[in-house]
Each structure stands twice: as C-alpha cells, then as structure tokens.
Amino acid sequence: MTSNNTGFQRPKPLNHSNAHVFKHPTQRIPPFPGTENHPSRSDAEPALKKQKLDPLVAPSTHTNEQYRTIQTPHSQPPDPLEVQTYNASSHTANQSNVVPLDSPATPSLVFPVRLPLDQLQTRRKRQDAVSQRAARNVGEVQTKPFVLEPPSAAPRYPSTAKSGIPRESIALDSTQALSAENAADFSPWRGIHAEDVLGEFTIKHGFYDKIQVSQNESGTARPTAWRNYKQQSGLNVLSSLFVSVLGQRQIHGSVTAGCTFKPPPRVTLTDSKREAWLRDLANPTIPLRRLSRTIPHGIRGRALLDHSLAKNIPTSRSLWLAKCVGANEIRAFKRKGASGAFAVGGESKWIKDWTANVEQFLETLVGTCGSDGWRENMTYGLRLATHLFAESLLDRDHYFDWLLNTVNQIDLETLPLYLLIIRSHLKEFGQSRRYGRRLPESLLEQLHRIENNASPDVYIIVKTKIVNLIILFIVASPASFLMPRRWLRYRSMLQTVIYAPHSALFEDVCQRNTRLHVMAGSDAESEVKTAQTLIEMLDSIVSGTDISNIAQTLWEVAPNPELLIRTCLCWSTSIFNTSCARLYIAVRLLRSWSDMEVNIETHVLHFLAVDAEAADLEDASLYRIIAELMRSRHFSVGGYLNWVIANGLLRRRGVTEKVSPAIGLLNEIPSHGLSAHILNLRQNLLRSLGVKIDDENHKITQWQSLFDRKPAGQHIELVNLSATDRLPSGRDQHTLAVKLDVGHWIRQKLLSRSGSGQSPSERPRENTDTDSVLDESQFGTVLAVLEYLEDFTTLGDLFLFHAKSHEPQLLTAIAVTISHYLDIFLACDTADTIFIQLMQQHTKLNSKPGYLAFVEALIDLAESLPNRSRETRMLRKERQKHESKSSVAACSPISEHMAEALQIEHSGSSLPCTDDIEQLLASGTSMDQQLLTDVFGLIWRRFEIARAESVQSGFTAASLLNQLRPFDATAVAEMTISRVDEFLASGSRVARQSMWISLVCARVISLEKLLNRILQALQQVDDPSIRNGLLTGIVECLTLGRPRANSSISHLYYRFYAQQQCLLRDLSPSIVSSLQHMLESAHNTQEESPLSIRNLLGEPAFTALLRRLPNSSQQGKDIFKEIFSPVLMTERAVQTLGILALPSTTEEDQGSKGDRLRVLLDNVTISSLSLCMLYLEAILISGGKADENAAAMLLLVTLEKLPSSSPGKVAQWTSIVSGLPQQQKKAIGDKAETEIFVLLANTPQPSITDFSKQLEYLLSLVSAADHSVHSTVSATRIITQIHNTIIHLSASHLSSSSGPDSRAEAKDSEVSGDSLKYLKLYAILRLLHIHHTAFCTPNVSEDALTELLVQLGLLLGHPFPGTYSYLSTDICDFLTVISDSLSATIQARCIRILQKQHRLKDSRLHYIFASSDNEEDTWLQLSLGTTSSPRQPKLHPFPIRKWETMQDATPLMTENDTSISLSLFGAKKSVL
C-alpha cells in the first residue's frame, strides 16, 4: 500500500491481516503529558519519554483533568474533524458521556492543544456541577483503571495461551475477548517500539516492515534460460519438455484405483448409544466421516423422520442419514437373492412405503397446527420433504397423487399448508400432463367452494393464495388448463381472478378450450345446443324467483348477447308456450341485461328483421314485450321509427303481402309519453300504410266514455259497471296501443285522485299507509276494465293503491284477483309486496263483516306463494279462532235438531235451502254415522239441483260438503268418491263442467283425484257412448282456460285453473295417462266422430294443450314420447305430430316420406325442436320397424337442400337427429361416416365452398348421432381407417406442400390445394374427437392405437400444420386431451417410438405422454464399444443411483470413494 505523499511502499507484515494500514509519523498519537501518574491509567504503563515533535507544532502542557483524543469510527479512517473532550471523572463513571468543546478546534492539529485559563476554569466549574448532580442522582460511582482498547475493526489473532496451538492453525472465535494482546499490528505508544522512534528517515519516508529475502532467491534464471532459447532448437526443446511434463502428470495424476464406496454399515446399539449418535449427528461440528463408521440399526421409515424433527438435525445431515438407510435397505434385496424384475419390484415397493411414511409425517405435522412450536416443526418438515423430493428420494407418482387427493378432500382451514407444498413443486407439476391437468381442477374446485360458501370473506386470505398459485401455474404451463369437459364450469370464475397482465394468456387458453369443446360440432351447432340449454333453463324458472340472478346465470351460459336475446324472445313468443307470465319474465330479463350495459335495442331490432316472421311465433306477444320496454324507457320509439325508415321496410312491402312484425309494430306502439315530433312521425308512417288514425282515437275515447265527469273543478268519478255488456265489444280487435293508452289514462287519473304524482311503488313506505282511492263499486269497475284490457302493470298499481283499504270486501277482491293471476303478478314482482300489505291490514279488520271471506282469500294466496308456510299456518289459526266464536259453546249432538228436516225430506216436499242447512250444521258439533249419511245425502241432492242452475249455486252447495268434513273427514271423502263414481258410470252429461268446477273449487275433491276416477271408470266401462262422455270430461278438465276476472264466476274456479296448470307443469301421472287414453281413443275413432283425431286437433284448446306441455328437458321429452307411445307407429300419429310440430303445414303437405322430410327440414325452429324430433322418428318408422332406406333417404334429402340452407338451419337438422332412438342414429351415423371417407379419399369436384359445407354437415351428423362405436371390431376398424387416411394424406398431399407463400384465395369454381389439405386434416381431427372415447376401451388393439398416435405425433412435427393458424395447436391439444384417457403403457410406447425410431425431439410430446422422468435418467450415458462406424460409439443410458449419491460415506478418505467410480470419467487427482 502506498503512503499518502512519499511514494514509499510498505511491505505486508508476515502473518498479519490485509487490513493493516500505513501510519504516517505525524499521525502517531502519544499519551498526553501529565497522565503518567493519573489514577485512571494503568500502573504498568512506562513513564513518558521526551521526543522530538513536528517543528510546525509547538508543544503544549495539559492538566491532569483534561486531555484530547481522536475516536476512530468502525470501518472507516479517522476524521481529524471529529474531536471530542472527555472528563476524567465522568469518563470513569460513564465512558459514553461526551462533552463537546466550546471553542472551535483547529482541524489540522492532532496533538494536544493548551486551552486559555479562563476557558479551563469555566469548563472545570461546569464539569464539577455536572459531576455533583450525577453524584446526587446516581450515588457513589465505581471507578476502574483506564485501559487503552484497540479499535473494534482491527484484525485479531486467536488466544493461544492455553492451547499452545499456532495461531495460523486456529480459526477466530467471535466470543474471544477483544484485547490488545490479540490485536494484529497494534501496539500502544510506550516509546520503546521501533515505530515510536521518530528519526529523520522515518519522518521523511514513513515506517514499514522489511521483507526477509532468502539468499537462494537473490538471482534470476533469465541468463541461463535465455541462452537455450536463442538456439534454433530451443523452442522444440522447450515444447518437448512441457509435453513430457504433461505426460507424466497424466500418468501419475489419473484416478486408477478401484471404487471403494460402500454404504455405512448398520449395527445394533443400545438406546443410550443410539441417542448419543443422533445427538452427534445433530451437531454440525462433528464430521460425517467420523459418524459413517457405523449407523444405528432400527432408525428407518417414520422413526427416522421423527428423530430428525425431535433432535433438530440439520436438513443436509438428515438427507445423508436417509440415503444411508435407503442404500442399505435396497442392497438388502440383492443380498436376499432377488434379481431382475423381483429386485426392481422390491425396490419400488420400499420407495413407495418410504414415500407413504413421509406423507404421514406431513399429515401429522398439519394435525398439530396451533400447538406449541408447531410453526418451527412445520417449517422443518416442509423443508425436509422438499429436499427429499428434490433429491429424487420419493416416488413422484405416489407423492403427487397423495398431494392432489388431499387438496381435494381437506377443509379450507388447513388448505394453505398444502398450498405451500404445491408451490414448491409447481415446476414438476407443469412437466407432466398426468398431474398438470389435475392441479388446476383441484385449485378451481376449492375456489368454487369458497365462492359458494355462506361467508366467503372469512376465507379471503385462502382465496388470495389460491389465485396467486393459479396465476403462477397458468403462466408456467398454459396447456395444463385444457379441460374441455369442465371449462364451462370454471371459465367465468377463472376470468374474474386473472387480472390484466395475464388477460391475453387467459384468452388464448379460453379459445383453445372452446375449440376443443366444439370440435365435435360447428359454431352453428354450438349455438343451437346453447339455445336448447337456455330454453330448458327458462322453462325451469319459477315465478317469484330473483330475476337478476337468473339473468346473470343465463349470461354466464351464453355470453353472446345476440344469441341470448334471440333465444329469450323465441321462448317467450312461441305458440308452444302460451303462458302470459312468460312475457313479463322476458321483459324483466331484458331490463336486467340492459342494466348490465347490453344494447338490447339493437338485438331486438335484428330479431324483428330476421327471426320474427317464423310461423311458430306470436306477433301479439312480441308486441307486448316491446311495448312494455317502451313504457319503461328501455326501448327507444324514435330509434325504431328511424330504423324502419332507414331500412326501407315500407317501400319493400307488397300490396298483398302479409304485414311483417317489423312493420306491424307501428300500429301497436302506445302513444302516451311520446314527444310531439315522434308522435307525428308515427302517424305519418301509419297513414302511409293505410291505417286510419281517427279510428284509434275513437276507440280510446269510447273507453274513456265509461267514466263520467263531475262539474269543473272536481275530481273524476268512476261509474260502477254492474254488467260486462257495457264494455266495448271486439276486445281482440283493439290494438295494443289502444289498450295501453287507456290503461295509462286510468293510472294517471288514479294518481290525480290520490293527490300524489307518484305510484305506490315509487312512494316511500311511510307514505303508503293511506285509505283507498276508490270505493268498492268503483274499484270493481276499474278492475273489470283493466282485466279486460290485460294491462297487468297498471292493475298491479291499482292493487298497491288500495292495499291499505279498510273495506274487507275490496281487499278480498284484491286477494282473489292476485290468486287468479298469481303467475303474472309473480313475474311482475308485485305479488309479494301486495301480500305483505294485505297481511298487515287483516289484523285491523277482524271485527268487520266479510272478514272471514278475506281470511279465506289470504289463505288461498299464501298457499300459492313460495316461502309463505308460516303465514299460512297463522292465517289458518286465525280462521279457526274466528269460527270458534260463532259456534255453540257446549258440545251438543245434531240428532235432536234433525226431526223436522228429515220429516220434510221423507214427505216429498221441497228440500231445505242452503241457509237452513248451514244453520243445521252450526247447531251442533257431533253426529252419529247414520245421521252423517242422511245429512250427506240431503246436501248431495241439494248440490245436484244447484249445479244444474249455475256454477255459483253449485259452488255454494258444494261448500256444504266441505263444512260437513269436520264431523268425519274419512267418511265424507268415501261418500263423495262413491257419488262421483256413480255419476261417471251413468254417463250423464248434465251440467258436468259445473259439477267438476264446483267440487274442485270447494275443496271437496282434487282435480288429480278426479282425473284418476275418470281413468278408472274408462277401464270398467265398455259402452262407447259412456266412454265418449268420459273422454269428453277429460278434455273439459284439461282444456278449461283461465276465466275472465270480470265474469260473475271467475272468483269461484280460479282454484280449478291453478290445479290444472300445476298438473300440466309437473306432468303428473294422471295427466300422462289421460292424454294417452285420449290419443289412443282418438286414433281408433271414426272420422265423423267429434273425438276423432281430426276433430280433436281441430280444437285450438286441445292443440294448445299438447303444444305447451313442458318438453325442453330430457325428462319432459321422455314423458312426451310416452304420451304418444300407444300410437307412435301408426299413420295417423305421423299426421298428428306433423300438425303439432309444424303449425303452418296442412294434411295436403304430408304426402310421401320424402315430402314429409322436406317439409320438416324447411319448417323446423328452435322452439319446436322437441316435437320435431318425435315427428322425425315417426316418419322414419314404417309398419312398426325401422326402414332400412330411411337413413339414406334422410341423408339424400339433406344433401339436396344443403347448398341453399343457412348454417343455423343446418344446425337445427343435426339437433333433431340427436333426439332419435339409438338404432336410427347409428344407421344415420354409419351412412354419414362412409360418405366422409369417400370425400377424404377423392378430389372434390364441386367448389371448395360446397365441399367444405358438405364435409361440415356430414361431420355434424356423425356427432349429432352420438356415433361412438362400442364394439372392439368397430373401434379397431375406425382406427385403421383414420390411420390409413392420414398416411395417404401425408404421402399424396402434405409432401407436396408448397408453403404458405404459394397459397392464394381460389375462386368458387377452383379447388385450392392447401385449403383442401387443411379441410381434410381438420375433418380427421374432428372425426377423431368424436370417436376418442371408444378408442380407450380395454379391448381395443393397442398396436393400432399406438400407430395412430405415432402418426399424429409425426404430423405434429410436419411443417405444413404450422402454416395455418391454430391447426398445429389443435393437433397438439387433441393429443393432449386424448392422452388423458390412455394407459401409461401406451404412452410410454408412443414416446419411445417417436424418440428412437423417428428421432423426434419435441418438448410438447414429452409433456403430452408424461415422459418427463425419462429425461432425468438419460442425461448420463455409458460407452460400450463402437458400432460399425468408428466415430459413433455405442451409448447406453447410465442411471444414477439416487440413494447412493452421498458425501463422506466411508470413514477413511480415498481417491475413489464415490458411489460412481471416477475411473469411468477419466478423473484426475487434485493437485494442492
């Protein structure tokens, strides 16, 4: 190191550290003068000697109380500016008490400076005051002698006083005392050191140690060597010398000794010695070679892991012990005589047992979570298991299986611990498809459990860890997320957790899964299947459910808004679904999607232009949905009018052409709420269509004329409508615009009458407790008008206006009407609100007349509403309590009150009236059996007379039977059934409908039991006239429509209608049996009979009944087929199904089988798919057996109509094929598959467009037919055909591929070569995807399957698939999916053939066939001689024995004591 200015060099002292620094003599710090006899200095310090100082600095004197020193900070040189003053007395008390100088110090002075006397006195007084205060506060201070300590950063030698060991052989101990004796190159200034003497040379040049130079090295060899180098042969001599030296080094430096490796032997030790050995193993200072002499016997398996944890043995030493034990265990199998496969099997079994021990060890640690020290134990266990896995000391398959199974089964509380283990092995999971595909499914399933948990916020930390792990894994191995079967389940959930930086990666994975999911079908087929799923979900909607959740669920199933809205409109406007509630469900769904920022207006207009003219859609229903959207401002009227004008719909309309729904909507738009210019534009467009605007205004005025006005300045009064004949006639001829405008006018008048500008639903809850706006008569008028207009939105507001009324009769009318239209009000989401208000009001009216009828109506309403069982029980108790007040107080028999009535009965005089019978039943509480029979007969005769008069009278008389039930319910029920059976057996048709309605509505008998009695009577009666009467009764029970609320009997039989709809919705066995008898009898009846199939289907009510049966689900399809099963194979059944499935067809259209197929293919729609499936099955069946030419005929007809059909229509064809029986589907699939192989083998003659469309349709037919071969012969045949096709395609087409640059778009009349290759390859992939489940059956030829997979692997390496977007990826993804169902044997054969025979090295193939383990074992190879080529040695894999790769295995170190002999590698000896 050079000095600061002199340029001299100081040699490094021997055996000193490199941290020794050079000190200039001017920086030498002597002890301060006058401190020799200071009590704080050491007595052993010698007296200070005079010395010559720097002439530039004058010497100064110092007192014994004060001196100056320099503190050198750690790890940096001393700074002369950092000058501190220490007081002697305070220094002894507290060495950290530092008092800075008042006067500034000269930075260049490092020697003591004498202070002025006044400053010293001031400083001394200040220090004395501080010392006195410290003495008073602290007390007596213990002093100790001053000792000059070396800097803490100075290098030190170890203490050698006790051991006598040389310093250079002992490592520095951090616990040794810092003393001046051990400090290197540190000697305090005492004046006797050579460095303390300041001579002239030292002052000028500095002080440095002299180097001891040996006399033998005083010269140089340059003169001697240079003479030889100057000669001509000097370089050759030097080269020979070096070659000779290297040769001798090669001979003597190579490892030639034999391998002396041997695992440490095991011996049996006592417990104390074994514990001592384990403690030595846990001590890292004891070398392993000393422990490797012997290891204790009995430490293995779980005990080894427990000892490692209990003794806290370092991980590396625990691994060493595990390897020692494992190597001995494995060698024990060979010593027992096992060899070959037996030895390998024994070794594998032992490794699996060892892996199971590790797994149990980890499970035990997880079980102790929360106990003392569990965190440290868990950390140690996880670290040990991770190192065991990294060293390949565990069975990977067994360990991963256990880990994934545990993650699937454990609870969420212990999941984070296993996530730590998974994260440490994330790379290994992504190397093999076998486990890579299972990990995402397990993590996503756990994430799904958290999302569906009742309190997901509790597991937010666990969710975050799972999400982070998913993101890491999808970045590392995207192919592991290929799960086409479960992708729809996890797609939306995975999309919410993948944030922006990885969104592109998620989209790529999503597209790959989607292509695999639709590999067996085209995009149009996928849309049709999705639409069928949506219709099934829409049919399963129960009124009153949360529409917002349903809208979100439907959006997740079909995120395509165009498909979603089109399907919703088709479902709600179809003639196969005539429920009015579906219209309001559709309106609320569309509003929910609009709130989700979906532009519903654009898609509704597209539906009007493209799909609204279908024959099975009702225009009126579509107009109602759009009008309701216009009322809520979710559909713009001005936008619609501009769309009509921009598309020229009015100009393109012909004179005699039917008005399309897109134009017909003009006449149905309500005018209220429209601005003047929009209203004027609408009227102008209507005038261009020839519509008279005055007629619409006249009809509105006619409705408004029902209401009289009082003199000016008074509110509008409503006239009571006592009869419905005052309502305007031709209700069905009124446009929707007239109906809604009148309803809006009424609503506005109600608002003005209430004195508020808001409807009850918009007002705050505290302001809704007001009296009714109308009285009972006025309310009845408005109710009749709104029901007549079918404006249920305004009707709901009317009920909300009057739900707080104090008139029981008015509230009863509300409850009855809500029950009557319950499905509609539930769909409008107003039924629950009105019911809650009615329940709040009924407790205030218990003393008013009509209260009991109000409670009865509330009971009916509560029984129909979902989740209202508690209110139902409460209302029943209220009714019972109210009835008990009017009954007699004491229990008295009725027999003493019956004399006069019975006398009247037997005398032949007229029967008593209903009031007399009610008074008779209320006069007692019990009666005997005979009297009960007599009273029942009296009431039944009264009922027979009353039902013939009117339904009202029949219902009143039937209610008496219900009042008789409390006396003996069983006896009354038996007598009722007996009387009904007598009536059915008589064949009487007098007032039959009135009888059914009265008995069912009075709760005397249920509709289902009534149908069962009719069916039982049909089996017992042979008279045709009586049977026809019974069948007509069934028709009446099933086709009775919803009564009008303004009719006089509507409140009587809404219960009948509710039970009818419930039976039809649930497809009860009584409904199925009734329809079966009806159809069977109709097909066997003559044409002129009213019950013939022609006349029966001519009845719109019965046809609508069959069409609206729920048949979207698979269960509904089976039941619908069961209904037609007795007549399915008859000719009339074909006609019947044709009329039902295709409303626009007639009997003239149903000619030959080919004509029927053509009509079916032209008119099939998404709403009629279920009926069309049954119709197609009936067409293909002739004479009770399958027609052999039916499949060929269907294929011929479809191929004939294929060029002129849209993709959506073709997709509907394939959908109806999927519903056929298995035998018919197999015939169609075989025929289509044969045509596919013909197309693949030949060059197509038509254009590339027609060829693609034809090939796509044939593949769709095979897929729709579910043509998965099940026999071994058929599967092997298909595999062979596809394999030969690939070989033929590779030989004739792919080999001549000219690359992507030579491709150009061909005209329709030309066939592009590359496009043809692409189509054929894609067709092969789709055909393989259809049959891949059959390829994995146990009896399929493994040789044929292996050849096919190898050919696909070679196709993956071909350059042609990479020229097309996604084709190479599709091949890889298909191989990935099909490998999931392959056995490990087939996977190993495939990868071995591809690597060895075809020399194909592709990492994707290693991942697909799960061969990552092979790469670890084949990186090291052994040369066993040479082949025929002298430069190519014969190499074989040299597997490494993982259990024997350990250090310090033998107690003595030799040159070749490793588990792999070093002589195999030509190793050299190390030269130290």
Side-chain angles (χ1 to χ4, degrees), residues 925-1231:
T925 58
S926 65
M927 65 176 68
D928 55 23
Q929 186 65 33
Q930 181 61 38
L931 185 58
L932 180 65
T933 305
D934 295 340
V935 173
F936 179 84
L938 181 65
I939 297 175
W940 187 264
R941 286 195 296 274
R942 174 74 259 180
F943 170 69
E944 290 285 349
I945 297 173
R947 69 180 177 84
E949 298 175 357
S950 65
V951 177
Q952 176 74 41
S953 301
F955 173 78
T956 304
S959 301
L960 298 175
L961 295 174
N962 200 26
Q963 297 180 25
L964 190 63
R965 189 184 302 273
F967 294 96
D968 193 343
T970 304
V972 172
E974 292 177 354
M975 289 186 289
T976 303
I977 292 176
S978 176
R979 294 301 178 97
V980 170
D981 291 342
E982 291 177 2
F983 177 81
L984 294 175
S986 65
S988 176
R989 302 187 182 184
V990 178
R992 181 175 51 196
Q993 185 177 9
S994 175
M995 180 177 182
W996 302 150
I997 295 174
S998 301
L999 291 177
V1000 173
C1001 293
R1003 296 190 179 93
V1004 177
I1005 188 174
S1006 65
L1007 179 59
E1008 184 175 10
K1009 187 176 292 185
L1010 179 61
L1011 288 175
N1012 290 332
R1013 305 312 300 177
I1014 297 176
L1015 293 175
Q1016 186 175 354
L1018 276 173
Q1019 298 176 357
Q1020 299 174 355
V1021 176
D1022 296 331
D1023 188 356
S1025 60
I1026 298 179
R1027 289 182 61 85
N1028 290 338
L1030 294 175
L1031 293 173
T1032 306
I1034 292 178
V1035 175
E1036 292 174 354
C1037 290
L1038 297 181
T1039 59
L1040 180 65
R1042 188 197 301 269
R1044 298 297 173 191
N1046 61 329
S1047 62
S1048 60
I1049 62 172
S1050 62
H1051 66 283
L1052 300 180
Y1053 66 100
Y1054 68 86
R1055 296 172 184 167
F1056 186 94
Y1057 179 78
Q1059 292 188 34
Q1060 177 197 94
Q1061 297 304 308
C1062 181
L1063 292 177
L1064 291 174
R1065 182 178 63 249
D1066 298 338
L1067 285 177
S1068 65
S1070 59
I1071 292 290
V1072 176
S1073 300
S1074 300
L1075 292 177
Q1076 282 182 339
H1077 282 85
M1078 284 296 305
L1079 293 175
E1080 186 177 3
S1081 300
H1083 282 287
N1084 297 329
T1085 306
Q1086 298 179 358
E1087 294 289 338
E1088 59 274 6
S1089 174
L1091 293 177
S1092 65
I1093 189 64
R1094 181 192 301 269
N1095 296 328
L1096 193 62
L1097 293 178
E1099 293 291 335
F1102 187 75
T1103 305
L1105 168 66
L1106 293 178
R1107 284 174 177 169
R1108 72 170 181 261
L1109 291 177
N1111 52 25
S1112 58
S1113 63
Q1114 186 59 42
Q1115 181 182 3
K1117 295 175 185 177
D1118 297 338
I1119 294 177
F1120 198 89
K1121 187 175 181 179
E1122 181 183 354
I1123 294 174
F1124 281 87
S1125 58
V1127 295
L1128 187 60
M1129 299 179 184
T1130 61
E1131 182 65 23
R1132 290 188 177 184
V1134 178
Q1135 299 177 1
T1136 303
L1137 290 171
I1139 295 174
L1140 291 176
L1142 309 175
S1144 61
T1145 60
T1146 60
E1147 292 186 4
E1148 289 75 13
D1149 298 330
Q1150 300 187 18
S1152 62
K1153 184 176 295 187
D1155 295 337
R1156 291 174 177 173
L1157 289 174
R1158 292 183 180 90
V1159 173
L1160 172 63
L1161 297 177
D1162 288 337
N1163 294 277
V1164 62
T1165 59
I1166 189 64
S1167 303
S1168 61
L1169 282 178
S1170 300
L1171 285 174
C1172 289
M1173 291 177 187
L1174 194 59
Y1175 182 39
L1176 179 60
E1177 180 181 352
I1179 293 176
L1180 297 180
I1181 295 177
S1182 60
K1185 61 179 180 179
D1187 191 354
E1188 296 179 356
N1189 299 325
M1193 182 179 297
L1194 176 63
L1195 196 61
L1196 181 63
V1197 172
T1198 52
L1199 291 177
E1200 173 188 338
K1201 303 182 70 64
L1202 186 62
S1204 60
S1205 301
S1206 63
K1209 181 67 69 176
V1210 175
Q1212 293 173 359
W1213 298 351
T1214 58
S1215 297
I1216 61 175
V1217 171
S1218 63
L1220 295 176
Q1222 187 64 33
Q1223 183 179 2
Q1224 296 179 359
K1225 289 195 296 184
K1226 185 178 183 303
I1228 296 174
D1230 288 337
K1231 186 65 177 176

Side-chain angles (χ1 to χ4, degrees), residues 128-150:
D128 291 342
V130 173
S131 300
Q132 291 176 4
R133 285 196 301 269
R136 287 195 301 268
N137 297 332
V138 180
E140 184 179 359
V141 179
Q142 298 294 332
T143 61
K144 75 172 186 177
F146 172 78
V147 178
L148 184 62
E149 297 180 354

